[in-house]
Amino acid sequence: MSEKKINLKLKIWRQSAPNTVGSFVDYSVSVSPEASFLEMLDELNNNLEKNNQDPIVFESDCREGICGTCGLVINGEPHGPLPKIATCQLHMRNFKDGQTIWVEPFRAKAFPVIKDLAVDRSAFDKVIQAGGYISVNTGGVPDANSIPISKDIASEAFDSAACIGCGACVAACKNGSAMLFVGAKVTQFSLLPQGQPERQSRVEAMVAKMDELGFGSCSNTYACEAECPKGISVKNIAKLNREYRLAKIKSKNVEA
Amino acid sequence: MGWFWKFTNSSIGKKLVMTVTGILLIIFLIIHLAGNLTLYWGAKAFSTYASTLELIMPLLRIIEVLLALVFIFHIINGIRVWWGNKKSKGVENKISAKSKNSSIFSRTMIQSASIIFIFLVIHLDTIWYPYNLGNGAENLYGIVTGLFMIPLYSWFYIFAMALLGFHLNHGFQSAFQTMGWNHKKYFPLIQTVGTIYAILVAAGFASLPIYFLYFHGR
């Protein structure tokens, strides 16, 4: 079967180690329009390895848009030009024959480059460890539906819980702010009964950790919402602002 | 009060300082514009407006000091937010799609603010200072209309007001978002009202130099 291939010129960010100076390297590829963006990079890496060259480092895991591991800035947009998909769901048919594609890592002070296109996003894990959980006593499995939650509230919480923690919001933000991510997590818990006991301490701790790790302040450009692969709304940031303000007024924690 | 200090220095607290001072400035601009528009009714109407303000004289000075504090907090905190955010971003991507995912108004707050700040300094130096702290013989209508006859002064005034409109268009709706008042039903209305407010304020202020430079007494 003869398949029509498209030729593309790639300009890919190469950086050998965290604190070294990187630069763009040009590559030419001929690829099936049916290939995904990551498959295109896999093919390129196979060829590089055949020629004893250092393959391009990039992250991926599930390759079906749910794990949040892959994340590249493609032609200036986190996860590429299409809305509401992760990099792994972007296919080469969306590019024109002969097009030049710039591939860069996510940029933010809190997401330092490890190598090439891979960045260290453990800052997100640290924010979650600061309060993005509920404390429960271990014991028997509770009955399903033992805590009544209306369908509307459950759906709203799920909209926020759809965040896959990929970091595209931080990469899209000119301020390197993690408000959409933290907003989604805080909103999800604050809507559900299970999240109530730690509601105030959670938002205080998560925001304090977010600030400590060097994420920026939100200036409401809403670029995060536009680039989010899961379409998380900036209403989550509004909710975070409100939760944080009320927690600061009401909580008994004078140290935080 | 340590907790309050920490609160206002947090990423969200700093934005709240911008919001609270911003809302006060939004209200101030309406009052200032309403007063300025009396210029259209001539020297007598404008002088009546100015002398009415002076009826509450000791209070007026207190209001001026508070207003100055609001400006200072808005400016210094704004610079702090901008500088902190610049550091938080660090290295920027070479290719940017920002025009695709955000509005120009939201991305140029520091630039519009810088021009408005220069305008503010010139404004205070050429109008507020000679009137309030000058040699006492100054007539406010004369000062203002005299300045508006200078083309360069008026053109810069108009330019600064256009940028004020840019600044307000983002700032108005941004204040509501930062307060956490983003509701599916009302937020589109808030954005529309914000844009209308920004256009009215910018056009209202800018209409005065245009009138005095090109139409008054011709």
Side-chain angles (χ1 to χ4, degrees):
Chain A
M1 192 178 102
S2 72
E3 192 186 27
K4 197 179 181 308
K5 290 198 167 189
I6 53 170
N7 297 303
L8 296 163
K9 212 176 158 208
L10 302 172
K11 287 181 179 290
I12 298 178
W13 181 261
R14 302 299 309 260
Q15 181 175 339
S16 58
N19 292 317
T20 54
V21 179
S23 64
F24 287 95
V25 177
D26 291 3
Y27 299 95
S28 290
V29 292
S30 181
V31 67
S32 160
E34 308 309 322
S36 78
F37 202 88
L38 298 182
E39 285 165 347
M40 182 269 294
L41 289 177
D42 288 338
E43 268 187 44
L44 174 60
N45 273 348
N46 285 342
N47 289 333
L48 289 176
E49 284 183 67
K50 267 185 213 157
N51 298 325
N52 283 325
Q53 285 177 296
D54 199 16
I56 299 153
V57 174
F58 64 92
E59 279 190 282
S60 75
D61 192 12
C62 77
R63 300 208 173 194
E64 54 187 9
I66 198 62
C67 73
T69 309
C70 64
L72 303 172
V73 174
I74 301 162
N75 284 342
E77 285 187 271
H79 296 305
L82 298 193
K84 294 189 186 177
I85 54 163
T87 303
C88 59
Q89 297 166 294
L90 177 66
H91 287 78
M92 302 318 293
R93 56 176 170 268
N94 297 299
F95 297 93
K96 287 193 244 19
D97 190 43
Q99 192 176 343
T100 301
I101 306 173
W102 293 78
V103 189
E104 299 175 70
F106 281 1
R107 292 290 191 190
K109 188 188 146 207
F111 287 172
V113 172
I114 300 168
K115 190 175 180 185
D116 296 337
L117 303 170
V119 297
D120 180 3
R121 286 171 291 181
S122 57
F124 267 12
D125 300 334
K126 289 175 193 156
V127 172
I128 292 293
Q129 283 159 10
Y133 51 79
I134 56 162
S135 302
V136 284
N137 293 322
T138 53
V141 179
D143 278 347
N145 301 322
S146 60
I147 304 170
I149 302 168
S150 79
K151 170 72 178 117
D152 290 347
I153 297 294
S155 297
E156 208 184 324
F158 186 77
D159 284 346
S160 300
C163 167
I164 53 175
C166 65
C169 44
V170 177
C173 180
K174 75 177 180 68
N175 310 323
S177 171
M179 296 276 179
L180 193 66
F181 169 74
V182 178
K185 301 302 168 196
V186 164
T187 302
Q188 172 199 337
F189 289 118
S190 71
L191 286 169
L192 297 172
Q194 292 89 338
Q196 299 312 308
E198 291 152 310
R199 188 169 172 174
Q200 292 171 356
S201 58
R202 173 182 304 112
V203 66
E204 287 188 321
M206 288 180 84
V207 171
K209 182 56 82 175
M210 168 179 86
D211 291 354
E212 180 198 315
L213 292 168
F215 290 105
S217 258
C218 179
S219 62
N220 303 332
T221 69
Y222 310 140
C224 51
E225 181 185 83
E227 301 295 354
C228 176
K230 297 296 153 186
I232 304 289
S233 163
V234 291
K235 287 185 180 61
N236 287 278
I237 300 178
K239 177 85 172 161
L240 170 68
N241 293 338
R242 201 161 67 236
E243 289 286 324
Y244 184 71
R245 192 176 74 239
L246 293 177
K248 279 290 168 193
I249 294 168
K250 288 187 200 163
S251 87
K252 296 189 172 69
N253 186 1
V254 285
E255 298 301 318
Chain B
M1 286 303 274
W3 68 270
F4 187 76
W5 186 245
K6 279 184 192 162
F7 172 40
T8 54
N9 279 297
S10 68
S11 54
I12 296 177
K14 278 188 278 191
K15 287 299 299 171
L16 270 170
V17 172
M18 293 314 287
T19 297
V20 172
T21 52
I23 290 171
L24 292 171
L25 293 173
I26 282 171
I27 296 165
F28 161 72
L29 282 175
I30 298 173
I31 300 165
H32 193 340
L33 177 62
N36 280 17
L37 291 178
T38 59
L39 276 168
Y40 280 121
W41 282 270
K44 204 175 156 213
F46 191 63
S47 302
T48 311
Y49 152 67
S51 51
T52 309
L53 277 185
E54 289 187 358
L55 287 177
I56 53 162
M57 200 46 193
L59 188 62
L60 186 67
R61 284 283 175 262
I62 295 168
I63 293 171
E64 280 179 338
V65 169
L66 292 176
L67 183 62
L69 283 175
V70 168
F71 265 106
I72 289 164
F73 269 94
H74 196 76
I75 292 164
I76 291 177
N77 193 66
I79 293 169
R80 212 158 63 107
V81 169
W82 166 74
W83 182 245
N85 282 347
K86 219 174 143 57
K87 279 200 295 184
S88 290
K89 186 63 184 176
V91 182
E92 287 193 36
N93 284 119
K94 184 174 168 63
I95 304 295
S96 168
K98 56 193 176 190
S99 59
K100 197 175 158 186
N101 60 30
S102 56
S103 76
I104 187 163
F105 310 106
S106 68
R107 282 181 274 116
T108 54
M109 291 302 269
I110 191 75
Q111 288 86 348
S112 55
S114 307
I115 300 295
I116 297 162
F117 178 72
I118 295 167
F119 167 81
L120 182 67
V121 173
I122 295 172
H123 185 67
L124 291 175
D125 182 53
T126 53
I127 300 174
W128 186 87
Y129 183 84
Y131 179 63
N132 288 288
L133 304 169
N135 53 24
E138 307 279 0
N139 151 308
L140 191 56
Y141 184 83
I143 297 175
V144 173
T145 52
L147 288 167
F148 283 160
M149 303 290 183
I150 306 166
L152 192 63
Y153 188 93
S154 284
W155 293 336
F156 179 69
Y157 191 108
I158 295 160
F159 174 63
M161 289 307 107
L163 289 181
L164 178 65
F166 271 48
H167 199 80
L168 291 170
N169 185 38
H170 177 68
F172 192 98
Q173 58 86 27
S174 189
F176 285 83
Q177 166 77 4
T178 302
M179 289 303 284
W181 299 329
N182 182 337
H183 191 284
K184 209 174 180 174
K185 277 185 192 166
Y186 312 112
F187 203 62
L189 179 70
I190 289 165
Q191 289 179 310
T192 310
V193 170
T195 302
I196 293 169
Y197 167 83
I199 293 169
L200 286 181
V201 168
F205 280 114
S207 72
L208 291 162
I210 294 172
Y211 172 72
F212 282 98
L213 193 58
Y214 296 111
F215 300 103
H216 184 62
R218 305 253 159 123

